[in-house]
Each structure stands twice: as structure tokens, then as C-alpha cells.
Amino acid sequence: MSALTSPPTSSGPGEKISRRRPWRAKAAGVLAAALAVTTAVATPAPAADNPYERGPAPTTASIEASRGSFATSTTTVSRLAVSGFGGGTIYYPTSTAAGTFGAISIAPGFTATQSSMAWLGPRLASQGFVVFTIDTLTTSDQPDSRGRQLLASLDYLTQQSSVRSRIDSSRLGVVGHSMGGGGTLEAARSRPSLQAAVPLTGWNLTKSWSTVQVPTLVVGAEADTVAPVATHSIPFYTSLPSSLDKAYLELRGASHFAPNSSNTTIAKYTLSWLKRFVDNDTRYEQFLCPIPGTSLSISDYRGTCPHNG
């Protein structure tokens, strides 16, 4: 027999050990590999870094689209069925397979009704939010009143509405136009637990918002003669704490009423802001930081980057 096939010699125990060691090592390696495979199969996949992410990874095309990936439905809320605000329309994703959603209330401006902001409801809802476009108690309500009404509508959404089971009540935001934009700032100051605020061409006699703790995107319009940016949106933005996640977007050549009709620039940055802070979805950070440059649609953009939230 050759040396490779002959049994170990009996010249001493040390030699027997040394000649068996390769076989033992091989067996141990096979066992270790088997255990590794078993462990890999038995161990569940790690949870997503952010359990609040909703929808596919965003692209420029997806945030500019008029509709997102979620099918939506609507329900009308009569002003007679609520207190503290004037009713409205709820837009919501029809499926909760992905989980619950953050919720956004949107207030109209002076003399306007919810219809003036209706275009934004399904646009945001189809991206994975429950959205409530509200009517105010009267069309002449001032910003402080509109702020209270925004908060009342969020309370209704999360506590009484027919879609309350679809909502994560810890993830709420507010949006508003004109006096509704001023109301958005009022709501943010009153309720620091909100996750995001977006005043659109906001109007408010109060210019200092140094106590606001809610991440805020201020949207102004370059040609606004009702709430000129020099006396409204820019002071609003600059008065917000420097430590706050905040941004100022100015729409090039736009009037005060730009938010009252479908506007891709408003939609894409409002969506990105809400996703980033209501859903804590850092996949949308790329659209906010680095700070966007000026363009055919943006005359000015300022912000704090990178974001802390």
C-alpha cells in the first residue's frame, strides 16, 4: 500500500494525532459551513432602516409626476359633522398593505375654499399620505384662526374620521396658502410635535417665528403683490431658528396665486419636504440637499443642509 492509503503507524501517540488532524479539520470545516447555512436560513432579514418609508425609491421623474404609485380614494366631510373647522375632503391611499401613513392638512387662503387647493390633495395622497383639504369656518378667517382650524382638522383625522386606522398619529404635517400659509406657521408654533410645515405664499402680520420647532419649508413667489416676499416669506424664513431644519423656495416670476393651480415646482418640493420630515425618508434628501440652484422656475433657494431630522 502506498503511504497515502496506509494506516497510521504506531510509532507514538504524537504521530497518530498529527496524521488525523487534517481529517478532523476538514470535518470541522464542513460542520461550520453547514451551521453557517442553517443560521443564514433561520435568521430573519433585518428590518428596513426606516419603517415609515412608503413607495418606491424616488426619482426626479417620480416627484414631478402628477400621480404617485398609490391608488387613492376620497371621502367628503360635512361641516355639520365636525367642530372647529369647516369640513373638507380626505384623499387617502386605498391599500394599507404598506402600513399606516402620515397625514397632512391643507388650508386655503383668504376668501377661498378647499377647491382652491384641491389639485394638491390627490397628488400627495398618491405618493403615500392621507391628505385633508379643509374649508375654514368663514372665508375671512385670519391666520391665527386658520392655524387652530388646521390643528382641529388633524385631531378629527386621527381620532374620529373614517380613515383614522390608516393614519400614524405621530406623523403629521400642515400646509396652507396665503392666510392659510400664515395659519400653517401659527399651527407649527402652537404644536411642536408636528413633523413638517409648508406655508405657500403665506400672509401673516406676525413676522417673527423664532420659537417654531417644526421643520419648515417657506415658499414665496417672486412677483407676489399680495404678500410680497420682502415683507412676508423672506422675514418668515429668516426669523426661524438657525438650528432648525428650514428652507426658502422662491418661485420665479410667479404671483401670489401660484399655489391655486397645478404647479410642478410647488408639488415636487412640498412632497420632498413632507417625505423627508413626516416620513423621515432620507431617500428624498437628494432633492433638498445640496441646496437646489436657481432655474427657470426658481429665483431663489436658501436652506440649512445637511438636515438634522
Side-chain angles (χ1 to χ4, degrees):
M1 295 177 67
S2 69
L4 291 176
T5 58
S6 60
T9 66
S10 57
S11 57
E15 186 174 349
K16 289 182 181 180
I17 292 171
S18 65
R19 297 188 72 164
R20 288 176 181 168
R21 202 171 276 156
W23 296 94
R24 290 178 178 175
K26 182 177 180 180
V30 171
L31 179 59
L35 286 173
V37 170
T38 301
T39 302
V41 171
T43 302
D49 289 341
N50 174 22
Y52 305 128
E53 288 180 1
R54 298 290 179 265
T59 63
T60 298
S62 74
I63 66 171
E64 291 183 349
S66 61
R67 292 293 183 273
S69 61
F70 290 89
T72 64
S73 189
T74 63
T75 184
T76 301
V77 179
S78 169
R79 67 171 54 243
L80 301 177
V82 300
S83 62
F85 67 106
T89 303
I90 303 172
Y91 304 83
Y92 61 93
T94 56
S95 172
T96 55
T100 54
F101 300 95
I104 312 298
S105 278
I106 303 177
F110 186 63
T111 75
T113 65
Q114 59 161 316
S115 63
S116 66
M117 299 302 297
W119 70 274
L120 194 54
R123 191 157 183 163
L124 293 177
S126 66
Q127 296 280 2
F129 291 104
V130 174
V131 183
F132 200 0
T133 56
I134 68 168
D135 279 319
T136 47
L137 294 171
T138 75
T139 57
S140 60
D141 290 333
Q142 297 297 297
D144 58 343
S145 174
R146 289 170 193 261
R148 291 192 297 271
Q149 293 181 62
L150 279 166
L151 297 180
S153 69
L154 288 175
D155 292 340
Y156 172 81
L157 263 184
T158 57
Q159 298 169 21
Q160 296 177 267
S161 75
S162 61
V163 300
R164 61 189 180 277
S165 63
R166 300 172 181 267
I167 298 170
D168 181 342
S169 60
S170 69
R171 298 187 291 119
L172 306 175
V174 286
V175 178
H177 170 238
S178 190
M179 282 195 179
T184 295
L185 292 165
E186 300 278 0
R189 182 169 60 182
S190 298
R191 189 173 293 183
S193 62
L194 293 175
Q195 300 298 297
V198 185
L200 303 170
T201 62
W203 188 98
N204 199 313
L205 292 176
T206 300
K207 309 303 179 185
S208 178
W209 301 95
S210 60
T211 61
V212 169
Q213 300 175 43
V214 178
T216 301
L217 168 64
V218 177
V219 178
E222 185 181 30
D224 191 338
T225 58
V226 177
V229 294
T231 55
H232 288 77
S233 291
I234 291 176
F236 297 164
Y237 169 76
T238 57
S239 72
L240 292 166
S242 59
S243 59
L244 184 70
D245 289 318
K246 63 177 183 174
Y248 170 66
L249 164 65
E250 187 175 288
L251 303 166
R252 185 181 295 279
S255 79
H256 181 71
F257 302 100
N260 292 153
S261 59
S262 182
N263 185 298
T264 297
T265 304
I266 290 174
K268 68 187 287 188
Y269 289 104
T270 298
L271 170 64
S272 296
W273 195 264
L274 296 175
K275 282 287 191 178
R276 176 63 183 82
F277 293 105
V278 174
D279 286 358
N280 194 33
D281 194 338
T282 55
R283 298 178 301 174
Y284 287 80
E285 181 82 352
Q286 62 182 303
F287 307 112
L288 304 169
C289 294
I291 292 172
T294 57
S295 65
L296 292 176
S297 60
I298 298 174
S299 54
D300 189 8
Y301 196 105
R302 313 174 195 183
T304 54
C305 284
H307 294 122
N308 302 311

